[in-house]
Amino acid sequence: MDALLSGERQTEVIPFSLEDAVVYYPVRHHSPVCAWHLEQVIARYNPACILVEGPENANDLIPVLTDPDTAAPVALYYAYRDDAGLLSKEEGEPESCRCYYPFLDHSPELAALRAAAARGIPAAFIDLPYAEILLATQAARGLRTREEKQSYASDQYLAHNRFQERLCEKAGLRSFEEFWEKYFETAGLDLSDEAFVRQMNTYCFLSRQNTPAVELEEDGCLAREAHMARRIQEAAARYDRVLVVAGGFHIWGLLHPGQEPPRPALPASAHAVYPMRYTMPAADALAGYASGMPSPGFYASVWTALHGDRPRQAWTDTVLDYLVRTGRRLRKDGTLISAFDETCAFQQAQMLAQLRDKPAPGLYELQDAVLSNFVKGEASLSGVEPLRVLRQLTTGQAVGRLCSGALVPPLARDFDSQCRSFRLRLEGAAQHEITLAIFSEERHRAISRFFHQTVFLDCGFAQRKKGPDLLRRRDRNLIREVWEYRWTAAVDAALIEHAVSGATLREACSTELRGRMAAAARAEQGADLLVQGFLMGIGDLADQLAGRMDELLIADGDFASLCAACASLTTLEEWQDQYGERGGYDYPALLRRCFARVLQMLPQMNTVDDHNVQKVQQACILLYQVTGREAFADQRPALLEAFERLVGQNPIHPAFHGAALGLLYGARPAWKQTIDGVVRGYLQGTRAMMLQSAAFLQGLFSTARDLLLVDDGFLRQIDALLVGLEEEDFIALLPELRLAFSYFVPMETDRIARRAAELHGARGSDLRRGAVDPADYARAEALDAWAAAHLDGPEGEDDP
């Protein structure tokens, strides 16, 4: 490292001496060698107090982090709701912010806290509380950037700057991570504590010199460092030996703090912090965790090896272990990897380390060795399976555990309790699948309701892969549900966020269901919420929501929305018995009220546009089906009367015209005569009418396709239309004609084709379906290639 930095001038040296009253130890988050040297520094310095960079409003949770029953990875979850409008002066929903502060076994901060607990000395976080960090940060900067997975502990200043890019270029390395592993992780084992800290301070100080001061101010760094410096001074006044563990980038700022800005008064209810379980995949830098190191499982193994019998061989032993594990997994999956391949890979990793002037192979030598020796052939999509397996192994699947008595919201405890009750597997971060017989097993139905509750709260825990979808009215012929579920850190985070809504999942869902219903603006949204409540097993809440649903039915002037609401309410009425909800709420009465509102608007739909006509058609079919059931038979006359008024209007969309006439014919066959006259008007009228005939047939066949199957005269009229069309007109009508005939099943289309052939003197038996001759297929492909060449390439090529 000294040779690499020889061209740089360091204007100031950051002191480090174990004789000082205050010792500043620089770290990179989740660095195993940083943590290893830190343990040795603590043993040599014997501090009376340890201060750690971290928001100080979590100090009460340090005993949870250091409890022997707490198993990493764990995290602190910070949340702030800007009800006072301090972050944004704009009106609207208050801004809600959150971030994670993860701790792995090899995190230097956790090593420091655990060492303090083991020695019985005080330890404390010294940074500004999370909410105050936000207030000290400019919009869209630092912790106020719009990222899905915001992390308190960010290494962006060390890893993303022009200085670091130049270093990688000078060292001939591919990335900052490879640079860090070479000069700090693998080389750090051969350095004394003082030499390692000096090297850390040199790199971090030069990184800071190459960072504009305005960025530090906008990101809140300067305000945070001033506050931490004050906390250090206060501790130094009480203890004779104070060890400060902070990000290496901040050490110079802690020694040269600016003026601390005034601290705003914040209500305690505006911000909160909770401990939570975490996972290795969530801590992976390659999965979006900006301050993490890639492949945390690999570095966790290095940390374990550092505390084993051969600490100086930790890197070599870990690389060998992962090569063997990768080979074993590949053989289990059917890939031919031999022990000789593993031996060659290990030898190559060692030789690559020598070539790259590293004391031992690391993660990047491991990856290159697997690529060279385990990938057989080209590294295409089919050939990267060894790299995928290695990636999975080096990431790790461990899930943390909190000690009993940890401050966990009741909602999260209820979630854990139900998972245990339903025997759902939460160990590891693997994905699990479960099949539920929801109509025959009460327990399975209870699990399904639990899963639906987690979906409603957007926990990211479960996802239905198969089964009846009442919300979208699909696959309702299925009798089983297939779910996939997996616990991640985001699940606990979501439960913490929703904890204000209730102590149990049912209570939280009920509270938020009422809130969403109050905020709904359309009948369709309200009916969808009723379906979700039904699936979650809280359909009894419909009594409280019915009044709001009636308001939406009256106020909503969108016919498509009202029809969608009618479809959802029909679903609820139909499925009460199957889901064991009969008697929970009078859905038929609510459906009748929705039905009446739709009938009121139906005659006004004659001018529906092309974009919405199919929705209106489907709505009319639904209404017709509803009135076909005994419980709603008394509504059929009113519906038919509305259809009669509709078809008598002019203008009317031809597709809607055909659909309404087909439904009238289905109820009263005497309408056949009227339909014949309308068909003649479309087929034999003006050219403008004739061009609307395909849309009319599409609507008619959607509701009464049997007309074409049983009436030869009707078939002759359509045949006459097609025969008499000019080619230009036929091309214009073709898309809608194809749509019109798509309502017939293959057997029916064969029957129609035979009858049409007979109208032109051919026999139906002459029509055959068969495989395409290979020679004809090859000829067609050649024609396609020739046409493409002449369209896109030079002219003059010979005909095929």
Side-chain angles (χ1 to χ4, degrees):
M1 172 65 78
D2 291 337
L4 188 63
L5 300 177
S6 59
E8 298 284 350
R9 288 189 307 160
Q10 186 172 348
T11 59
E12 184 169 345
V13 175
I14 298 176
F16 178 79
S17 171
L18 298 184
E19 302 298 324
D20 292 339
V22 178
V23 171
Y24 294 83
Y25 185 88
V27 302
R28 184 195 174 187
H29 307 292
H30 315 312
S31 164
V33 175
C34 276
W36 185 72
H37 276 290
L38 175 59
E39 288 183 335
Q40 298 180 89
V41 167
I42 293 174
R44 294 172 58 199
Y45 183 56
N46 191 26
C49 171
I50 297 180
L51 305 179
V52 176
E53 178 191 340
E56 62 186 13
N57 56 321
N59 277 330
D60 291 342
L61 300 179
I62 290 179
V64 174
L65 297 177
T66 59
D67 191 288
D69 289 337
T70 295
V74 293
L76 295 176
Y77 175 84
Y78 296 87
Y80 170 67
R81 181 180 172 87
D82 187 34
D83 292 317
L86 299 176
L87 293 180
S88 175
K89 303 300 182 182
E90 299 179 3
E91 296 184 0
E93 184 71 17
E95 186 174 350
S96 295
C97 303
R98 60 184 181 273
C99 78
Y100 303 88
Y101 188 178
F103 297 90
L104 310 180
D105 282 323
H106 52 281
S107 299
E109 298 88 345
L110 184 57
L113 295 175
R114 286 174 170 173
R119 290 171 171 267
I121 61 175
F125 293 120
I126 57 173
D127 201 352
L128 284 169
Y130 171 62
E132 295 182 26
I133 295 176
L134 294 173
L135 296 177
T137 304
Q138 296 294 316
R141 297 287 304 180
L143 287 178
R144 292 184 62 184
T145 55
R146 298 290 184 180
E147 292 184 8
E148 180 180 354
K149 191 185 297 182
Q150 191 63 266
S151 172
Y152 161 79
S154 176
D155 287 324
Q156 60 172 332
Y157 293 122
L158 295 183
H160 305 290
N161 55 61
R162 182 56 184 161
F163 165 68
Q164 184 274 326
E165 292 174 0
R166 292 289 301 276
L167 280 181
C168 286
E169 292 173 4
K170 187 175 180 180
L173 298 172
R174 292 167 286 189
S175 66
F176 165 74
E177 296 296 347
E178 189 173 8
F179 166 86
W180 180 269
E181 186 182 81
K182 175 178 178 179
Y183 287 104
F184 290 97
E185 298 298 330
T186 56
L189 289 182
D190 295 329
L191 298 176
S192 66
D193 300 330
E194 287 80 3
F196 179 79
V197 170
R198 180 178 60 82
Q199 184 166 293
M200 280 283 297
N201 280 333
T202 300
Y203 176 78
C204 294
F205 178 71
L206 291 173
S207 295
R208 188 176 182 112
Q209 279 189 321
N210 286 271
T211 302
V214 65
E215 290 188 16
L216 302 180
E217 183 175 4
E218 291 176 349
D219 290 353
C221 281
L222 301 183
R224 292 171 53 201
E225 290 169 354
H227 179 77
M228 287 191 282
R230 181 165 66 85
R231 291 297 190 221
I232 294 169
Q233 292 174 0
E234 293 172 352
R238 296 181 56 191
Y239 303 99
D240 58 350
R241 294 183 312 281
V242 177
L243 177 64
V244 179
V245 179
F249 188 87
H250 297 297
I251 297 298
W252 190 90
L254 298 180
L255 291 167
H256 305 83
Q259 184 68 32
E260 185 177 4
R263 300 177 62 183
L266 294 172
S269 59
H271 50 96
V273 56
Y274 287 98
M276 58 179 287
R277 296 169 293 178
Y278 214 62
T279 67
M280 283 298 193
D284 189 352
L286 298 180
Y289 171 43
S291 66
M293 295 178 68
S295 303
F298 176 83
Y299 290 110
S301 297
V302 171
W303 174 252
T304 301
L306 286 172
H307 292 80
D309 297 333
R310 292 157 43 99
R312 296 295 175 180
Q313 299 297 317
W315 290 95
T316 302
D317 290 348
T318 302
V319 167
L320 176 59
D321 177 58
Y322 274 91
L323 284 172
V324 173
R325 291 169 60 187
T326 303
R328 184 185 303 124
R329 174 73 67 82
L330 290 169
R331 284 191 292 273
K332 182 179 178 181
D333 295 340
T335 303
L336 297 178
I337 299 294
S338 67
F340 181 71
D341 291 325
E342 296 172 2
T343 301
C344 291
F346 182 55
Q347 291 176 346
Q348 182 178 10
Q350 291 179 303
M351 288 188 289
L352 283 173
Q354 295 177 15
L355 182 65
R356 295 167 180 173
D357 195 24
K358 295 177 68 172
L363 176 65
Y364 300 92
E365 288 69 40
L366 170 63
Q367 292 173 344
D368 292 340
V370 167
L371 175 62
S372 297
N373 295 273
F374 287 6
V375 176
K376 309 297 183 181
E378 184 181 0
S380 59
L381 289 177
S382 61
V384 296
E385 180 65 12
L387 292 178
R388 186 194 67 78
V389 169
L390 176 65
R391 172 86 175 85
Q392 185 181 63
L393 292 174
T394 57
T395 297
Q397 296 295 314
V399 175
R401 181 184 69 247
L402 293 176
C403 62
S404 60
L407 180 62
V408 177
L411 182 62
R413 288 201 298 268
D414 179 67
F415 172 86
D416 288 342
S417 175
Q418 293 202 55
C419 286
R420 289 193 298 270
S421 173
F422 295 135
R423 296 193 290 276
L424 300 178
R425 293 180 290 172
L426 302 184
E427 66 279 1
Q431 187 163 270
H432 306 285
E433 183 177 285
I434 185 173
T435 301
L436 303 175
I438 54 176
F439 300 135
S440 59
E441 297 285 344
E442 178 62 32
R443 179 175 173 274
H444 286 194
R445 191 152 58 241
I447 296 174
S448 173
R449 290 167 176 166
F450 169 70
F451 283 152
H452 278 291
Q453 290 169 9
T454 66
V455 170
F456 184 75
L457 295 179
D458 196 21
C459 294
F461 174 66
Q463 181 181 13
R464 184 180 55 199
K465 307 302 293 184
K466 295 180 182 178
D469 188 346
L470 301 193
L471 194 60
R472 295 177 179 82
R473 296 176 289 281
R474 299 174 183 167
D475 301 324
R476 292 187 289 181
N477 60 314
L478 302 179
I479 62 174
R480 292 182 177 84
E481 288 181 340
V482 178
W483 289 82
E484 289 182 350
Y485 67 93
R486 178 175 61 181
W487 187 91
T488 65
V491 175
D492 274 5
L495 293 173
I496 291 172
E497 289 181 7
H498 291 286
V500 295
S501 298
T504 66
L505 261 71
R506 178 185 175 88
E507 183 180 342
C509 290
S510 298
T511 300
E512 299 201 13
L513 184 62
R514 285 191 290 265
R516 295 188 198 183
M517 179 64 86
R522 301 169 58 200
E524 179 181 8
Q525 296 171 339
D528 282 350
L529 289 170
L530 290 179
V531 174
Q532 292 179 64
F534 178 88
L535 294 172
M536 290 187 288
I538 53 177
D540 53 347
L541 199 63
D543 283 322
Q544 304 174 34
L545 305 180
R548 175 58 181 161
M549 189 67 209
D550 283 332
E551 293 175 1
L552 293 174
L553 292 176
I554 295 171
D556 197 347
D558 185 339
F559 184 76
S561 172
L562 289 168
C563 290
C566 189
S568 295
L569 295 175
T570 301
T571 297
L572 293 176
E573 193 276 333
E574 288 178 333
W575 288 77
Q576 284 187 100
D577 288 332
Q578 290 91 328
Y579 279 84
E581 294 287 340
R582 176 66 67 181
Y585 179 72
D586 190 5
Y587 291 111
L590 187 57
L591 176 57
R592 283 179 177 273
R593 297 196 290 273
C594 183
F595 190 93
R597 178 71 174 124
V598 172
L599 282 184
Q600 182 183 359
M601 293 191 65
L602 183 59
Q604 306 170 28
M605 291 298 105
N606 59 302
T607 56
V608 64
D609 56 27
D610 291 339
H611 179 69
N612 290 309
V613 66
Q614 193 169 11
K615 293 182 181 178
V616 176
Q617 284 178 288
Q618 294 171 349
C620 291
I621 294 172
L622 172 68
L623 297 175
Y624 187 84
Q625 292 171 343
V626 169
T627 58
R629 301 208 304 268
E630 183 178 353
F632 293 89
D634 59 328
Q635 299 293 316
R636 175 64 66 85
L639 177 63
L640 296 179
E641 182 183 350
F643 285 154
E644 290 178 18
R645 283 185 285 149
L646 187 66
V647 298
Q649 298 187 52
N650 189 25
I652 182 172
H653 193 287
F656 194 21
H657 195 186
L661 284 171
L663 292 172
L664 286 169
Y665 165 74
R668 300 170 187 166
W671 275 87
K672 172 65 168 57
Q673 185 176 355
T674 301
I675 291 175
D676 286 341
V678 174
V679 169
R680 284 194 296 272
Y682 276 103
L683 300 184
Q684 301 174 13
T686 65
R687 183 173 183 273
M689 288 290 291
M690 181 268 296
L691 291 176
Q692 292 181 335
S693 60
F696 173 81
L697 292 175
Q698 180 268 319
L700 183 64
F701 292 163
S702 71
T703 56
R705 70 178 191 272
D706 59 306
L707 280 171
L708 190 61
L709 296 173
V710 300
D711 190 336
D712 288 337
F714 196 77
L715 180 64
R716 290 192 183 92
Q717 291 186 69
I718 295 177
D719 182 74
L721 164 69
L722 298 177
V723 170
L725 284 174
E726 297 291 338
E727 182 177 0
E728 181 181 354
D729 293 337
F730 177 77
I731 296 299
L733 290 177
L734 185 59
E736 287 191 89
L737 283 171
R738 292 185 59 162
L739 179 61
F741 281 92
S742 68
Y743 292 103
F744 298 94
V745 299
M747 183 177 66
E748 293 171 339
T749 56
D750 287 346
R751 178 180 171 186
I752 294 170
R754 286 194 296 269
R755 291 170 56 201
E758 291 170 357
L759 293 178
H760 295 275
R763 292 181 302 173
S765 58
D766 295 335
L767 300 176
R768 301 179 184 274
R769 287 191 178 204
V772 177
D773 183 84
D776 292 340
Y777 185 81
R779 176 70 174 172
E781 280 197 322
L783 283 170
D784 281 345
W786 176 83
H790 279 69
L791 288 171
D792 299 331
E795 298 182 0
E797 298 179 16
D798 294 335
D799 292 351

